[in-house]
């Protein structure tokens, strides 16, 4: 997430930390987490997409 006066890398780091804290929760909670827990002034649009993949089984496992 970017915001004026803040380096993009810091915003992406904060997003990664927040997402990892909510990774085991429902997709709805995971998508809501960045909106509720990261700074913003309410003037930017935000979109969050969550994708849950099935566990690897059989030949796909390495």
């Amino acid at each position: 997430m970017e915001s004026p006066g803040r380096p993009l890398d810091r915003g992406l780091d904060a997003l990664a930390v927040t997402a990892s804290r909510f990774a085991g929760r429902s997709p709805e909670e995971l998508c809501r987490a960045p909106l509720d827990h990261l700074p913003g002034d309410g003037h930017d649009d935000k979109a969050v997409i969550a994708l849950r993949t099935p566990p690897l089984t059989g030949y796909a496992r390495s």
Side-chain angles (χ1 to χ4, degrees), residues 45-56:
D45 293 334
K46 294 181 183 180
V48 181
I49 299 172
L51 173 69
R52 181 159 297 165
T53 59
L56 296 177

Side-chain angles (χ1 to χ4, degrees), residues 12-43:
L12 291 175
D13 288 344
L15 178 59
V17 168
T18 299
S20 67
R21 286 182 28 225
F22 289 84
R25 307 235 182 136
S26 72
E28 292 80 12
E29 290 175 295
L30 177 60
C31 288
R32 189 81 210 159
L35 305 175
D36 291 342
H37 298 281
L38 293 174
D41 62 6
H43 290 96

